[in-house]
Amino acid sequence: MINFKQKLNTKIVQQTAICAENFSLWYGNKLAVNRVSMEIDSVGVTAIIGPSGCGKSSFLRSINRMNDLIPNARVEGRLVVEGQNVYEKRIDLVLLRRRIGMVFQRPNPFPKSIFDNIAYGPRLHGIWERTKLHEIVESSLRSAALWDEVKDSLTRSAVALSGGQQQRLCIARTLATQPDILLMDEPCSALDPIATGKIEELIVALKENYTIIIVTHNMQQAARISDKTAFFCLGELIELAETNKIFTTPANPQTEAYITGRFG
């Protein structure tokens, strides 16, 4: 089996973490992503914006091969993560998804205790020592800015938390397996403004140590938290640039039309 590089305790700094080269994705006969070529930096936040059905989430889920779960999905081109094409036939998908964590639109805590939610991934990867699990749980919850709120109730059911707390718990659960890359598919779309603010603050704090790609319909959110922004339309990458440039002086007329609300 081809494995990713082991980087459990140290992070290798690379200028480019993800590189798509003429990457296309079909669902049966439907073309969802059309010959996308782009590079994503190893540290920072890249936002992907665009109208509904433009291929944003399809591209995001391609990075850790979540689209493999959809019948008749197929790809062409290359999608290289940390120097390795993730669509090589002998790729280790378990390790791939450990290294590339994902946070979904709606919080999806397991119907288990807060502690067991965070410990689930480490246990899956062979860590059972109670002391070590406690260290991982505390570290992950601290990184997700949730520890102070739940440290005295780790045996409480995770589904009893508020929506915003549940989403931060899901982020902590993802961090527990020590990923290098975090994929976030509209992580605030089901949250109220206060909870959204906390998640945005968390993303800004995490971006110093992780490659973060966030799909969002909220252009104000993209402007607030991202370093670079990619605009997708009809499955194609229209423009990728520094976020400030995208929102002030976009190079492509389609981007300007979307940013100014003339379509989408």
Side-chain angles (χ1 to χ4, degrees), residues 6-70:
Q6 295 295 321
K7 299 189 297 182
L8 300 183
N9 297 313
T10 61
K11 186 172 178 65
I12 298 173
V13 177
Q14 294 178 311
Q15 185 175 1
T16 300
I18 300 168
C19 180
E21 302 172 357
N22 291 319
F23 182 80
S24 298
L25 167 71
W26 282 266
Y27 300 126
N29 294 323
K30 180 184 177 183
L31 180 61
V33 177
N34 186 15
R35 297 179 63 83
V36 166
S37 293
M38 65 186 295
E39 294 185 356
I40 295 175
D41 294 339
S42 62
V43 176
V45 178
T46 298
I48 302 178
I49 63 171
S52 296
C54 70
K56 304 186 301 294
S57 293
S58 291
F59 178 75
L60 189 78
R61 290 166 183 256
S62 298
I63 296 171
N64 66 348
R65 290 185 53 172
M66 289 292 290
N67 289 320
D68 286 16
L69 304 174
I70 300 175

Side-chain angles (χ1 to χ4, degrees), residues 2 14 18 36 77 83 92 95 107 109 127 164 175 187 190-191 195-196 237 248 257:
I2 295 176
Q14 294 178 311
I18 300 168
V36 166
D92 185 336
L95 186 55
I127 299 175
L175 297 178
L191 304 180
T196 294
L237 172 66
T248 57

Side-chain angles (χ1 to χ4, degrees), residues 190-239:
L191 304 180
D192 61 58
I194 293 176
T196 294
K198 289 184 178 181
I199 297 293
E200 289 183 1
E201 289 175 3
L202 175 57
I203 292 171
V204 171
L206 291 173
K207 75 177 186 178
E208 298 303 320
N209 297 305
Y210 298 91
T211 302
I212 301 176
I213 304 101
I214 178 171
V215 163
T216 178
H217 274 104
N218 187 327
M219 286 188 285
Q220 290 78 17
Q221 180 176 77
R224 285 192 296 266
I225 67 173
S226 68
D227 301 289
K228 289 189 175 180
T229 297
F231 171 55
F232 276 52
C233 188
L234 299 176
E236 297 182 359
L237 172 66
I238 304 301
E239 188 170 353

Side-chain angles (χ1 to χ4, degrees), residues 69-85:
L69 304 174
I70 300 175
N72 300 317
R74 61 186 178 89
V75 303
E76 287 185 3
R78 286 165 51 86
L79 192 51
V80 178
V81 177
E82 296 178 332
Q84 186 169 34
N85 183 5

Side-chain angles (χ1 to χ4, degrees), residues 138-159:
E138 179 175 348
S139 174
S140 301
L141 288 170
R142 285 188 183 279
S143 294
L146 190 58
W147 174 252
D148 289 339
E149 297 172 40
V150 302
K151 62 184 179 181
D152 296 323
S153 55
L154 295 178
T155 59
R156 181 186 180 194
S157 172
V159 298

